[in-house]
Amino acid sequence: MSSPRTQTYAQRAAKNPNAAARALLEVIERKKSNLCVSVDVTKRDEFLNIIDTVGPYVCLIKTHVDIIEDFDLSVIEYLKELSAKHDFLIFEDRKFADIGNTVALQYSGGVHKIASWSHITNAHPVPGPSIITGLASVGKPLGRGLLLLAEMSTKGSLATGAYTEEAVRMARAHRDFVFGFIAQRRMDGVGATDTDDVADEDFLILTPGVGLDSRGDAMGQQYRTPKEVVTESGCDVIIVGRGIYGKGGSVDVQAVQAQAERYRKEGWAAYLERIGQAPS
Amino acid sequence: MSSPRTQTYAQRAAKNPNAAARALLEVIERKKSNLCVSVDVTKRDEFLNIIDTVGPYVCLIKTHVDIIEDFDLSVIEYLKELSAKHDFLIFEDRKFADIGNTVALQYSGGVHKIASWSHITNAHPVPGPSIITGLASVGKPLGRGLLLLAEMSTKGSLATGAYTEEAVRMARAHRDFVFGFIAQRRMDGVGATDTDDVADEDFLILTPGVGLDSRGDAMGQQYRTPKEVVTESGCDVIIVGRGIYGKGGSVDVQAVQAQAERYRKEGWAAYLERIGQAPS
């Protein structure tokens, strides 16, 4: 079996056991975009404007709905309409981190009802496997998928070494629901023992901290280019935020679309280089 | 310096560098209660009814406001009124787990505006120290306090060994905001190096999984008695949920008050035994 690094997104879609992962790989192929835009703004109008603006260029929109001050369920209705209009999936970056019973309630209920609209969400592995079974009890019947945080790029992160390996083992034991990681590198085979059959393993890697114009910021964030992330490290989806829509306030539609297209094109070229195809 | 184990809550209040910790220790002493009730229900009326019922018996109410389906800001107004009426503090068990910029927005904003009403909240140390500085930028000016999750009692938890030690070191470096842990044992001096002055260290320990009637449940939760937790392990606050208000639905006021008083009395007796005083 060839590595996921040298397969097309479409080839990998055909084999993935998780419905949300298949849908994501298919939309990536269909739109020739491995770009996810992270929309971290606090007003609903700006939130929806940015998404409507970048929608044509992305495979995925990453949200933090719990920072939107004027949130109500109409935000979700609009978001779902935009998802259909522009053909992208939604990833609520909730970073669940509680025991199974609690995360099941947080995922399904409250005012945000995340499971009802977010195709993908994520969780920290720190509570152990019960966080996966708790979320899966809600998300699997809805065809959702889960990412684990196997690493974090922040300074002094505790998600390293044995922690990362254990996170990958937890994912490996729940491949029908956990389809990948938020990480900076491929995780296939990490932490595997001799008895694990990992020849066919294909975890999707979604990677934040991608930038074309800056190597870092004052808060210690490090940026890597799409080529470094996709071609060299073999990651699958680049996550970009303020690099595309700027400091916020009003949305300059043409400027934001130009940036989104620039990142889409760079991300796709990096993927074509990785699989050994010339850009068309 | 004597260990926190043998000092009264009032003695410890006088020396704590964090305002929320001092307020908590003072209310514990005033009400002779080290009982925190965890109110994990999904309807606002039941949520507020339980809190009004157990309020006289507790030092602290632990909430998950993100599971309340019919939440709006009036829930917070009522909760604040009940906090004043019954003299208890509020602890939103949010388990923040993101980078500094994001947790600052999640803590201050969104529909829940946690920092504006929750005296205490908690966070996972996994992102590294930036999660503390992000939350402190919001919470310190408001006199709030933070607990870290240094351990979890769930099966397969990754918060063990070096992870736990690093969590305590992060807390030690931010003692004006981080005043303790969610844990099953004392953490004073854990992970300290020769150059750390920990003689005077006093982290408050709030402990879930306390029960008087059962040793465990079908979901793998283990229960310990107040005596085991407070007298033997030296923890400071016992957290009890369904053991006090049952399976939910309607609230049987007399039965719930009897259970709350029973846990308050057991928790306080365990504390008096620990400090070597006879119950009065």
Side-chain angles (χ1 to χ4, degrees):
Chain A
M1 199 66 212
S2 64
S3 154
R5 293 179 76 112
T6 56
Q7 297 170 48
T8 66
Y9 290 115
Q11 287 167 336
R12 295 165 63 189
K15 295 177 296 186
N16 200 293
N18 177 264
R22 286 195 300 274
L24 178 60
L25 288 161
E26 286 163 5
V27 69
I28 290 172
E29 189 78 48
R30 196 158 57 234
K31 293 178 76 174
K32 298 193 190 315
S33 173
N34 53 25
L35 172 63
C36 170
V37 173
S38 167
V39 188
D40 295 341
V41 296
T42 59
K43 304 286 188 195
R44 56 172 287 156
D45 287 352
E46 188 183 4
F47 176 77
L48 294 168
N49 278 346
I50 291 171
I51 295 170
D52 198 18
T53 303
V54 302
Y57 307 94
V58 303
C59 58
L60 188 65
I61 290 287
K62 182 168 90 63
T63 58
H64 282 297
V65 289
D66 56 353
I67 70 171
I68 300 176
E69 289 165 18
D70 45 358
F71 176 91
D72 61 36
L73 284 180
S74 74
V75 174
I76 297 308
E77 291 310 309
Y78 281 115
L79 180 59
K80 287 160 73 176
E81 282 175 27
L82 293 173
S83 163
K85 173 182 170 187
H86 295 302
D87 188 21
F88 61 74
L89 299 191
I90 306 166
F91 163 28
E92 168 62 19
D93 184 8
R94 174 57 175 77
K95 296 187 174 68
F96 288 104
D98 213 314
I99 62 175
N101 281 335
T102 301
V103 295
L105 292 169
Q106 290 171 325
Y107 188 26
S108 62
V111 298
H112 294 122
K113 302 188 195 325
I114 295 167
S116 73
W117 52 267
S118 186
H119 306 92
I120 297 168
T121 189
N122 59 354
H124 283 286
V126 63
S130 65
I131 191 169
I132 299 177
T133 48
L135 292 168
S137 71
V138 173
K140 264 180 62 178
L142 298 169
R144 305 311 186 198
L146 184 70
L147 301 166
L148 291 184
L149 287 119
E151 298 179 330
M152 294 188 81
S153 56
T154 36
K155 190 175 172 194
S157 162
L158 307 186
T160 60
Y163 182 106
T164 301
E165 292 189 7
E166 196 53 47
V168 180
R169 281 191 284 267
M170 281 172 54
R172 186 169 292 129
H174 299 88
R175 290 226 35 214
D176 52 348
F177 189 53
V178 183
F179 69 89
F181 300 95
I182 304 295
Q184 298 286 331
R185 59 182 172 109
R186 293 215 63 80
M187 292 287 165
D188 317 305
V190 168
T193 62
D194 292 348
T195 57
D196 290 321
D197 177 12
V198 297
D200 218 15
E201 194 158 88
D202 178 4
F203 290 118
L204 270 71
I205 307 296
L206 284 69
T207 307
V210 175
L212 285 167
D213 300 313
S214 167
R215 301 300 300 170
D217 70 14
M219 301 287 284
Q221 174 78 57
Q222 303 287 311
Y223 291 102
R224 300 167 72 206
T225 64
K227 188 180 166 79
E228 288 172 305
V229 164
V230 176
T231 313
E232 294 168 19
S233 296
C235 304
D236 298 309
V237 173
I238 58 172
I239 304 175
V240 185
R242 300 266 170 204
I244 285 179
Y245 55 84
K247 291 269 182 277
S250 61
V251 177
D252 178 341
V253 170
Q254 283 197 314
V256 173
Q257 290 190 328
Q259 281 297 325
E261 170 59 10
R262 180 174 168 232
Y263 275 92
R264 186 206 64 77
K265 205 172 157 187
E266 292 276 346
W268 195 251
Y271 156 71
L272 291 177
E273 185 179 345
R274 183 177 89 197
I275 61 168
Q277 290 188 13
S280 57
Chain B
M1 200 64 213
S2 64
S3 154
R5 294 179 75 112
T6 56
Q7 296 169 47
T8 67
Y9 291 116
Q11 287 167 337
R12 295 165 63 189
K15 294 177 295 186
N16 199 293
N18 177 264
R22 286 195 299 275
L24 178 60
L25 288 161
E26 286 162 5
V27 69
I28 290 172
E29 189 78 46
R30 197 157 55 232
K31 294 178 77 176
K32 298 194 189 316
S33 173
N34 52 26
L35 172 63
C36 170
V37 173
S38 167
V39 188
D40 294 342
V41 296
T42 59
K43 305 287 187 194
R44 56 172 285 156
D45 287 352
E46 190 183 3
F47 176 77
L48 294 168
N49 278 345
I50 291 172
I51 294 170
D52 198 17
T53 304
V54 302
Y57 307 94
V58 303
C59 59
L60 188 65
I61 290 287
K62 183 168 91 63
T63 58
H64 282 297
V65 289
D66 56 354
I67 70 172
I68 300 176
E69 289 165 16
D70 45 357
F71 175 91
D72 61 37
L73 284 181
S74 73
V75 174
I76 296 309
E77 291 310 310
Y78 281 114
L79 180 59
K80 286 159 73 175
E81 282 175 27
L82 292 173
S83 163
K85 174 182 170 186
H86 295 301
D87 189 21
F88 60 75
L89 300 191
I90 307 166
F91 164 27
E92 168 62 19
D93 184 9
R94 174 56 176 77
K95 295 186 174 69
F96 288 104
D98 213 314
I99 62 175
N101 281 336
T102 301
V103 294
L105 292 169
Q106 290 171 325
Y107 188 27
S108 62
V111 297
H112 293 122
K113 305 191 193 320
I114 295 167
S116 74
W117 52 268
S118 186
H119 306 94
I120 297 168
T121 190
N122 58 355
H124 283 287
V126 61
S130 65
I131 191 169
I132 298 177
T133 48
L135 291 169
S137 71
V138 174
K140 263 179 62 177
L142 298 169
R144 304 310 186 199
L146 184 69
L147 301 166
L148 291 184
L149 287 118
E151 299 178 329
M152 293 187 82
S153 56
T154 37
K155 192 176 169 192
S157 160
L158 307 186
T160 59
Y163 182 106
T164 301
E165 291 188 6
E166 196 53 47
V168 180
R169 281 191 283 267
M170 281 171 54
R172 187 170 290 129
H174 299 87
R175 291 228 34 215
D176 53 347
F177 188 54
V178 182
F179 69 89
F181 300 94
I182 304 295
Q184 298 286 330
R185 58 181 172 111
R186 293 217 63 80
M187 292 288 167
D188 318 305
V190 168
T193 62
D194 291 348
T195 56
D196 290 321
D197 177 12
V198 297
D200 218 15
E201 194 157 89
D202 179 3
F203 290 119
L204 270 70
I205 306 296
L206 283 68
T207 307
V210 175
L212 285 167
D213 301 314
S214 166
R215 301 301 299 170
D217 69 14
M219 300 289 283
Q221 175 79 59
Q222 303 288 311
Y223 292 102
R224 299 167 73 207
T225 64
K227 188 180 165 76
E228 288 172 305
V229 164
V230 175
T231 313
E232 295 169 18
S233 296
C235 304
D236 298 309
V237 173
I238 58 173
I239 304 175
V240 185
R242 300 269 171 201
I244 285 179
Y245 55 84
K247 291 270 184 278
S250 62
V251 177
D252 178 340
V253 170
Q254 282 195 312
V256 173
Q257 290 191 327
Q259 281 297 325
E261 170 59 10
R262 180 175 168 230
Y263 275 92
R264 185 205 65 76
K265 205 173 155 186
E266 292 275 346
W268 195 252
Y271 156 71
L272 291 178
E273 185 179 346
R274 183 177 89 197
I275 61 168
Q277 291 188 12
S280 54

